Amino acid sequence: MPLSPSRRRLTSAILALVVVSSAAGCAATTDPVTGATATPDTAAAQCPGADVPLTELVAAASPATLTGESTACLSSQAIEPIAGTPTPALPVTVTDNDGLTVTVTNADRIIAVDRSGTLAATVFALGLGDRVIARDSSTEFPGAADLPLITQNGHELAAEAVIALAPTVILTDRTVGSRDVLAQLREVGIPIVVVTADRSLSDNAVLIGQVATALGVPAAGTALTERLTSETDATIASIAALAPQNPADRPRILFLYMRGASSIYYIFGAESGADSLIDSLGGIDVASEFGWQGMKPLTAEALVATAPDVLLVMTNGLKSVGGVDGLLDTIPALQATPAGQHRRIVDMRDDAILAFGPRTSEVLDSLARAIYAPDAS
């Protein structure tokens, strides 16, 4: 599915931020911008209450009455594969997202790279994880964390490292690796399939279908899509029951991207993926309501005008500005909003919050807990 002009502009903006921010150097968990790493699955020990179903949680009468920051964490980073181990039916010839005709003859040695780790997670969920031979800096879930790292300085793909591993197919969405590097890899005969870079609930089926088709396991792709759709629909239904029933009480949510070391602050609006996320969480995407599309630089006027009740942010982005206190000091206008006054900042791992793909249901579940019933965790 070709990118719309607005999506292309958005992807270019994100890539620019990746380049600018790669030298910022944030610590702690995996940062898809800087490549900082942490021990996989440490979140599992930090999510008390995650075993209580959403349907059993009691939410505040109105999210606007809540105070204090919250962290949404996945109880496990593991990727659950579909039942059975599919056998790729190859060769297959596909027209990729760049419009190129690519023939894949062998899927024994797969490299799948993107800025959020979604492609590798998809390959593992399809049941082909034992064929993945390398990882990018955002791929740290169990089963992949010990693979050779082939990105450097954040998300620069190292051509020599890739060639040395002799992959039989590479899957990418162009958020990792420059055109020159990909051209170099094609010149040595490695089939490269470029898939969609769009990330939202509605794009999950497209992404899974493209990956499964390129690897010769379309039936597995259908099975994974059906499972993910069922899980996500059930989670969204549980969130709808947990969220305020009166539309006027729905939380007004703003997604803010930040990298303090580079003084980068962007609002994510319509067609950014954040709008799809917020809508599924039963919230009002105030950036879209304000008419903002894609990514826009933050302004004090827009922040005050949108009047968010809750800010969604990436964990390492929040750390880069010195946490909630640092954010409030850095952006004084935030203190004129309900979110700032009540310190309602919800953070989540950078490699999860907008990744979508196989972990969509778990991401929504974790964010809903942090937004509606943070005391339960």
Side-chain angles (χ1 to χ4, degrees):
M1 181 179 72
L3 287 173
S4 65
S6 60
R7 287 290 182 88
R8 284 197 294 269
R9 289 194 297 270
L10 174 63
T11 300
S12 297
I14 290 176
L15 287 172
L17 283 179
V18 169
V19 172
V20 170
S21 303
S22 62
C26 298
T29 56
T30 302
D31 186 335
V33 175
T34 66
T37 59
T39 302
D41 239 10
T42 53
Q46 301 172 2
C47 298
D51 56 340
V52 179
L54 280 177
T55 51
E56 295 182 14
L57 296 180
V58 178
S62 171
T65 66
L66 295 171
T67 61
E69 56 266 36
S70 305
T71 295
C73 58
L74 299 175
S75 59
S76 174
Q77 300 298 321
I79 303 299
E80 182 68 27
I82 60 171
T85 302
T87 300
L90 300 171
V92 296
T93 298
V94 300
T95 300
D96 74 1
N97 226 55
D98 279 354
L100 299 178
T101 299
V102 183
T103 298
V104 179
T105 60
N106 188 321
D108 289 344
R109 299 179 63 78
I110 302 168
I111 288 179
V113 289
D114 68 322
R115 64 184 172 85
S116 59
T118 307
L119 291 183
T122 301
V123 175
F124 271 73
L126 287 169
L128 300 177
D130 60 343
R131 297 167 180 256
V132 178
I133 61 170
R135 67 178 181 90
D136 54 50
S137 59
S138 294
T139 300
E140 287 197 316
F141 52 81
D146 293 332
L147 294 173
L149 182 65
I150 53 171
T151 53
Q152 55 194 9
N153 299 323
H155 284 306
E156 295 177 10
L157 194 61
E160 295 78 8
V162 172
I163 293 171
L165 290 170
T168 56
V169 59
I170 295 174
L171 303 173
T172 181
D173 61 0
R174 288 201 176 281
T175 59
V176 170
S178 67
R179 288 185 178 274
D180 288 344
V181 168
L182 295 182
Q184 181 180 350
L185 296 174
R186 283 195 175 102
E187 286 176 1
V188 299
I190 303 171
I192 298 176
V193 179
V194 178
V195 301
T196 179
D198 294 348
R199 298 289 183 269
S200 71
L201 267 73
S202 61
D203 293 313
N204 275 338
V206 173
L207 178 65
I208 292 170
Q210 289 181 339
V211 172
T213 299
L215 297 180
V217 290
T222 299
L224 177 58
T225 297
E226 290 175 349
R227 187 188 78 179
L228 180 59
T229 300
S230 176
E231 292 172 347
T232 303
D233 287 350
T235 299
I236 291 175
S238 296
I239 293 172
L242 183 68
Q245 301 307 298
N246 184 349
D249 292 329
R250 293 173 63 193
R252 298 176 56 77
I253 303 175
L254 180 70
F255 192 103
L256 178 62
Y257 178 96
M258 69 192 86
R259 281 300 180 268
S262 303
S263 297
I264 294 173
Y265 299 89
Y266 273 76
I267 289 174
F268 281 28
E271 295 192 20
S272 67
D275 54 335
S276 174
L277 185 73
I278 292 170
D279 183 65
S280 299
L281 290 167
I284 298 171
D285 176 28
V286 297
S288 295
E289 181 186 65
F290 195 63
W292 285 34
Q293 188 173 53
M295 289 170 50
K296 301 282 187 180
L298 173 71
T299 66
E301 293 78 8
L303 186 57
V304 174
T306 55
D309 297 315
V310 179
L311 284 189
L312 288 185
V313 301
M314 295 180 176
T315 298
N316 282 335
L318 185 60
K319 289 179 179 179
S320 74
V321 299
V324 174
D325 288 334
L327 179 61
L328 293 172
D329 289 341
T330 303
I331 308 176
L334 182 57
Q335 300 184 46
T337 69
Q341 293 163 4
H342 299 149
R343 298 175 65 92
R344 287 299 290 139
I345 317 297
V346 174
D347 70 282
M348 189 178 205
R349 284 177 60 115
D350 302 40
D351 60 348
I353 192 167
L354 287 179
F356 295 99
R359 289 186 286 191
T360 299
S361 178
E362 290 86 352
V363 167
L364 291 175
D365 181 289
S366 299
L367 285 168
R369 294 169 188 273
I371 292 170
Y372 295 113
D375 292 341
S377 59

